[in-house]
Amino acid sequence: MIENIPLPATDDPIDAPFWEGTRCGELRIQTCQQCGRMRFPPRPMCPACQSHESDWQPVSGRGRVWSFAVPSSPLLPAFEKLTPYVVALVELEESPTLRMIGPVVHSAGGEVSGVEAQDIHIGAEVTVDFKQYSDDVAMPCWVLGK
């Protein structure tokens, strides 16, 4: 657990269903009820058809690393003790337009610290896992494939 980590609000009506899913260990993506387009990050209106009607669909949680970075100083004090760690932008299997960011771990339930740049590459297969940071925040992280 990271002490004093800045956490997102989970009660915003636009993305509350996303956070409900992460707490249950499920990755959910906002989907337009009119045209069926999936979108992330969540927003009140579909960028394709401008509909305001949407629902949330569970997705596989599988993807590939589209890009990654190794944060270096200066960091927020809460994150400094984690270095080295890797943050990846992951392209979800369901659509190349769905990309989500999160830390990379070696195994489900693994620690964020310890993954280094040489452990990962663009195109690496990953699956989602969730790290519980508070009673209402479980953050997606990415487990390197074998």
Side-chain angles (χ1 to χ4, degrees), residues 12 14-15 18-19 28 44 50 68 75 99:
D12 185 310
I14 299 297
D15 63 2
F18 174 80
W19 297 113
R28 297 177 186 169
Q50 286 73 53
F68 68 94
L75 300 170
R99 295 189 184 130

Side-chain angles (χ1 to χ4, degrees), residues 5 14 22 24 27-28 43 46 52 88 94 103 108 123 140-141:
I5 185 175
I14 299 297
T22 64
C24 297
L27 190 61
R28 297 177 186 169
R43 42 196 174 267
C46 177
H52 290 268
E94 284 74 14
C141 59

